[in-house]
Amino acid sequence: MSKFKAFFLAAAVIAASSGVASAGDATGVWLRSDGKTKVKLSPCGGALCGVVVWLRDKDAPGQVGQRVFYDMEPAGENQWRGSAFNPEDGKTYSGKMTLSGGALTTAGCVLGGLICKSFTWSRTN
């Protein structure tokens, strides 16, 4: 086997054994599609966390500064899994996020992911 072939074979083995595919960059400020909420996603430990940074309705159940996404760990390419807090009902759900281009979809789920409520977010400043 030539050195050239051996190098590419070794590189392929290393790439295949690297584990879970890396997730894209979901950090930044996101506006929910209904225009009611902005959340800032940022690193927290080895995961992502999301904090409310703006609310259109100042009397909404959520509060600016409240953490609504936490422990969102990479779960594949452009995907994360963790927890999502819903200020409207005061409950925490298993959560997932998926990044596709300039859109982020978040979901809070119950019953092992059988029933989920999702929202779409767009990156904003």
Side-chain angles (χ1 to χ4, degrees):
M1 181 183 297
S2 73
K3 288 181 182 180
F4 185 73
K5 286 181 182 177
F7 172 78
F8 282 105
L9 179 61
V13 168
I14 291 170
S17 65
S18 63
V20 174
S22 64
D25 184 12
T27 60
V29 178
W30 295 87
L31 175 66
R32 198 164 92 173
S33 60
D34 63 8
K36 293 181 178 181
T37 309
K38 285 185 183 180
V39 169
K40 181 177 183 181
L41 293 174
S42 55
C44 57
L48 287 177
C49 293
V51 176
V52 175
V53 294
W54 176 85
L55 289 167
R56 181 173 60 193
D57 180 1
K58 303 299 181 204
D59 296 323
Q63 299 175 356
V64 172
Q66 183 172 39
R67 185 181 290 185
V68 290
F69 299 109
Y70 51 96
D71 299 331
M72 300 300 278
E73 296 180 344
E77 188 171 350
N78 299 323
Q79 297 179 23
W80 297 261
R81 292 196 189 281
S83 298
F85 175 73
N86 181 354
E88 294 173 3
D89 65 12
K91 295 182 181 177
T92 300
Y93 299 92
S94 65
K96 54 186 178 180
M97 298 189 314
T98 305
L99 180 64
S100 178
L104 181 72
T105 302
T106 60
C109 304
V110 295
L111 299 175
L114 290 175
I115 301 172
C116 298
K117 182 174 182 178
S118 62
F119 294 97
T120 303
W121 305 73
S122 57
R123 202 179 290 270
T124 186
N125 293 331

